[in-house]
């Protein structure tokens, strides 16, 4: 017996469906976008704060090629778009999630016309794509301060540093075992 997809997957909308869906939503609509590659506490808190600014929250994710063009680093995104979409959709504050393949979400913003536009605290309001248009319609643009100093890039650096340290320790241990006089066999031979 095939299982039905989890309910949160109904929150995933193709970009072509978003404008029609947004027209039926309670307003004000809050819009944010980003990579959301490896979810962490900072993401969860940020999305909860964004959702509190309106009646519903739409999150737009950079497509995989778009992430690579951002220059986040080799091997990024770690998680493919379909996995990132599912994880973000599973979060309680998120009402819908979609994606964009371009470098910015400008086309989506024009289609859904949110009343509230939000980015993380590392984005000054004047640099947020779509801010001018949202302000011109009488909407609000927010740069939400980070409450938890977390980032996927920093997390991946830490993981890489730990893996590198373990690799160095294994090499040192292997080299020690190969040296004459190391280990029990070496001691027996030395007698």
């Amino acid at each position: 017996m095939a299982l039905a997809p989890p309910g949160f997957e109904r929150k995933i909308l193709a970009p072509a469906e978003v404008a029609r869906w947004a027209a039926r939503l309670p307003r004000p609509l809050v819009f944010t976008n980003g990579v959301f590659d490896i979810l962490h506490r900072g993401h969860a808190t940020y999305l909860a704060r964004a959702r509190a600014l309106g009646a519903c929250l739409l999150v737009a994710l950079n497509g995989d090629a778009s992430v690579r063009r951002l220059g986040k680093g080799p091997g990024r995104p770690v998680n493919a778009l379909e996995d990132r979409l599912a994880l973000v959709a599973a979060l309680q504050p998120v009402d819908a999630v979609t994606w964009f393949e371009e470098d910015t979400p400008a086309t989506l913003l024009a289609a859904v016309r949110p009343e509230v536009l939000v980015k993380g605290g590392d984005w000054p309001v004047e640099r947020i794509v779509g801010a001018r248009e949202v302000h011109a319609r009488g909407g609000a643009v927010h740069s939400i301060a980070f409450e938890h100093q977390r980032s996927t890039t920093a997390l991946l650096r830490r993981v890489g540093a730990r893996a590198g340290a373990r690799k160095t320790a294994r090499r040192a241990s292997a080299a020690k075992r190969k040296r004459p006089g190391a280990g029990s066999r070496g001691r027996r031979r030395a007698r």
Side-chain angles (χ1 to χ4, degrees), residues 78-125:
V78 172
N79 287 301
L81 177 63
E82 65 185 18
D83 295 330
R84 294 183 288 123
L85 288 165
L87 290 173
V88 171
L91 297 173
Q92 181 272 329
V94 176
D95 293 288
V97 63
T98 190
W99 67 94
F100 58 98
E101 295 298 341
E102 303 82 10
D103 291 342
T104 73
T107 302
L108 280 175
L109 284 164
V112 301
R113 299 176 57 88
E115 288 80 14
V116 182
L117 178 57
V118 179
K119 286 292 283 177
D122 55 339
W123 282 89
V125 169

Side-chain angles (χ1 to χ4, degrees), residues 11 44 47-49 51-52 56-58 88 90-96:
K11 294 182 188 180
L47 292 171
R49 299 290 185 227
R51 174 62 176 80
C56 59
L57 174 62
L58 170 61
V88 171
L91 297 173
Q92 181 272 329
V94 176
D95 293 288

Side-chain angles (χ1 to χ4, degrees), residues 26-101:
R27 298 292 179 139
L29 168 63
V30 180
F31 181 100
T32 192
N33 66 282
V35 175
F36 297 94
D37 194 0
I38 296 177
L39 292 181
H40 51 70
R41 184 179 186 184
H43 289 131
T45 302
Y46 166 75
L47 292 171
R49 299 290 185 227
R51 174 62 176 80
L53 296 170
C56 59
L57 174 62
L58 170 61
V59 181
L61 303 185
N62 294 74
D64 293 343
S66 177
V67 173
R68 286 189 285 278
R69 288 191 305 271
L70 287 175
K72 291 280 188 178
R76 297 287 301 277
V78 172
N79 287 301
L81 177 63
E82 65 185 18
D83 295 330
R84 294 183 288 123
L85 288 165
L87 290 173
V88 171
L91 297 173
Q92 181 272 329
V94 176
D95 293 288
V97 63
T98 190
W99 67 94
F100 58 98
E101 295 298 341

Side-chain angles (χ1 to χ4, degrees), residues 160-184:
R162 288 180 180 167
R166 283 192 297 273
K167 193 174 189 178
T168 300
R170 282 193 303 272
R171 284 183 187 151
S173 179
K176 184 177 177 183
R177 286 191 304 269
K178 289 180 181 178
R179 283 196 313 255
S184 58

